[in-house]
């Protein structure tokens, strides 16, 4: 069963000036920077995380490398459409149902979220793009590359997974942190403390973020949009998607897998397995990286992504020239 999205206008929230467009039947809030004539890079964020988790410096540095950079809020988070008409879902309960072998029927799944990504590209008149996804966003990006290969210049899957059920699971403390119920929206300070605690558990040990910066980051997300009820529905969408291994084996787009060697939430074995499943893909394991995009990681990630995207475009141009010369 699919549920219609609730009535929601992102432009009225907090007086924020945020571009919003209708795509795939929902409203999607987005940010678009760089030269419109440059190759597009579409950034897809992870579970319960707003697009502002793609740091400003990260986006600006990619744009400075010659890319048009688009980031956006997934459905049920940030300033995009909230599915208020759908029932709330307890993450722990839906996980237990999956373990018990029950079939999950969430309000939407990752395939719908992949269609959101392509729908946004349509609205922005982007014929094809480099699709970069982090965590759940990496899963969505994988599906975009598989279902819409002509729309994808290349794929970058960051701290994500193939979904194979045999892969190592998250460390208990990391799983406990993300599964713990979020505080009520009436208590900003408690919500910030909770968010900081999560980042401290899953963050990058080799690139630690100072407490003051963490508080500012979590506080900005709270003030922009605090909507914990969407987490359960996104989590159910992940669980319902299952393994993407067979799909990954059929991918034909240039693929780069980036993963932290010290990721406690999605262990590095998941990144290795993703890369091993995609023909011709490249893998970069980053020592000291956990499950976040810490400030110290930005130069490393931008360099790797920009090099991969430029190489993919160069190879594509070369292939077209060779084809025309036959």
């Amino acid at each position: 069963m699919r549920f219609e999205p609730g009535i929601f206008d992102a432009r009225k929230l907090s007086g924020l000036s945020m571009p919003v467009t209708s795509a795939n039947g929902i409203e999607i809030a987005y940010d678009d920077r760089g030269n419109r004539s440059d190759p597009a890079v579409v950034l897809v964020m992870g579970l319960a995380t707003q697009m502002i988790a793609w740091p400003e410096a990260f986006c600006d540095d990619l744009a400075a490398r010659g890319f048009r950079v688009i980031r956006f809020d997934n459905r049920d988070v940030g300033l995009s459409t909230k599915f208020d008409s759908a029932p709330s879902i307890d993450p722990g309960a839906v996980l237990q149902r999956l373990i018990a072998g029950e079939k999950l029927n969430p309000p939407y799944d990752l395939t719908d979220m992949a269609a959101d990504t392509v729908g946004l590209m349509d609205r922005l008149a982007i014929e094809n793009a480099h699709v970069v996804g982090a965590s759940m966003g990496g899963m969505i990006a994988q599906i975009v590359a598989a279902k819409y290969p002509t729309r994808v210049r290349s794929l970058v899957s960051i701290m994500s997974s193939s979904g194979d059920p045999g892969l190592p699971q998250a460390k208990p403390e990391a799983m406990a942190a993300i599964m713990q119920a979020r505080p009520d929206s009436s208590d900003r300070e408690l919500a910030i403390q909770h968010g900081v605690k999560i980042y401290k558990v899953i963050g990058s040990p080799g690139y630690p973020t100072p407490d003051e910066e963490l508080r500012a980051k979590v506080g900005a997300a709270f003030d922009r949009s605090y909507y914990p009820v969407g987490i359960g529905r996104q989590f159910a969408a992940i669980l319902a998607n299952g393994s993407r291994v067979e799909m990954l084996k059929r991918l034909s787009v240039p693929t780069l897998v980036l993963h932290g060697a010290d990721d406690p939430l999605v262990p590095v074995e998941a990144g290795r397995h993703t890369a091993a499943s995609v023909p011709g893909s490249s893998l970069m394991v980053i020592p000291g990286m956990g499950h976040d995009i810490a400030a110290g990681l930005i130069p490393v990630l931008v360099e790797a992504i920009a090099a991969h995207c430029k190489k993919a475009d160069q190879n594509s141009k070369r292939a077209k020239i060779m084809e025309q010369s036959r």
Side-chain angles (χ1 to χ4, degrees):
M1 181 183 295
R2 288 288 178 266
F3 289 83
E4 293 299 319
I7 298 173
F8 180 80
D9 187 348
R11 289 154 289 196
K12 294 179 180 178
L13 279 189
S14 305
L16 295 175
S17 176
M18 175 64 60
V20 177
T21 190
S22 298
N24 196 33
I26 65 171
E27 295 287 294
I28 299 178
Y30 68 95
D31 175 55
D32 185 355
R33 69 186 68 191
N35 193 320
R36 297 295 178 89
S37 63
D38 286 340
V41 173
V42 176
L43 305 173
V44 192
M45 192 29 80
L47 174 69
T49 309
Q50 301 177 51
M51 68 176 177
I52 57 175
W54 295 107
E56 292 292 321
F58 175 91
C59 298
D60 287 339
D61 287 356
L62 272 179
R65 297 292 189 105
F67 296 100
R68 176 185 180 184
V69 181
I70 296 95
R71 57 180 179 168
F72 67 98
D73 287 325
N74 286 310
R75 56 174 63 194
D76 253 345
V77 74
L79 303 183
S80 289
T81 291
K82 308 298 195 302
F83 279 66
D84 294 319
S85 64
S88 60
I89 295 176
D90 176 69
V94 77
L95 181 59
Q96 289 303 315
R97 287 179 55 198
L98 181 72
I99 293 172
E102 295 183 33
K103 180 177 174 58
L104 304 180
N105 187 28
Y108 53 81
D109 57 27
L110 296 187
T111 301
D112 296 312
M113 299 177 83
D116 293 345
T117 306
V118 176
L120 176 61
M121 290 171 59
D122 289 341
R123 293 294 293 176
L124 298 180
I126 297 172
E127 181 179 352
N128 48 48
H130 301 284
V131 184
V132 179
S135 197
M136 179 188 73
M139 304 172 193
I140 295 169
Q142 292 167 18
I143 296 171
V144 172
K147 290 182 64 68
Y148 310 92
T150 61
R151 308 299 301 276
V152 179
R153 289 171 175 258
S154 76
L155 166 66
V156 181
S157 181
I158 307 172
M159 55 191 180
S160 194
S161 173
S162 65
D164 188 290
L167 289 168
Q169 300 301 301
K171 290 185 177 180
E173 59 271 25
M175 181 58 75
I178 68 163
M179 296 295 283
Q180 185 179 359
R182 265 58 172 180
D184 186 86
S185 61
S186 63
D187 195 329
R188 182 179 187 273
E189 177 58 29
L190 193 59
I192 290 176
Q193 291 177 10
H194 184 273
V196 168
K197 179 182 176 181
I198 292 175
Y199 274 111
K200 280 183 170 292
V201 173
I202 69 173
S204 300
Y207 301 86
T209 303
D211 288 356
E212 185 177 350
E213 185 178 330
L214 269 182
R215 283 187 57 85
K217 178 178 181 178
V218 176
F222 180 95
D223 294 338
R224 184 172 183 264
S225 176
Y226 185 68
Y227 189 70
V229 71
I231 298 171
R233 293 192 286 261
Q234 288 189 349
F235 188 66
I238 294 172
L239 296 183
N241 188 244
S243 173
R244 289 173 297 283
V245 173
E246 292 306 313
M247 181 193 74
L248 292 174
K249 290 179 179 178
R250 297 191 294 271
L251 284 187
S252 57
V253 302
T255 300
L256 171 64
V257 177
L258 299 172
H259 214 104
D262 301 291
D263 192 328
L265 187 61
V266 183
V268 67
E269 289 85 358
R272 296 187 190 279
H273 193 263
T274 300
S277 300
V278 180
S281 67
S282 300
L283 170 68
M284 180 177 177
V285 175
I286 305 172
M289 178 179 174
H291 201 81
D292 68 344
I293 302 178
L297 284 165
I298 291 174
V300 178
L301 296 174
V302 168
E303 176 62 33
I305 293 168
H308 167 75
C309 294
K310 288 182 181 294
K311 180 179 179 182
D313 285 343
Q314 290 168 356
N315 288 344
S316 177
K317 290 178 181 178
R318 190 177 299 116
K320 288 179 181 178
I321 292 172
M322 292 179 63
E323 185 176 333
Q324 292 170 356
S325 65
R326 290 176 182 173

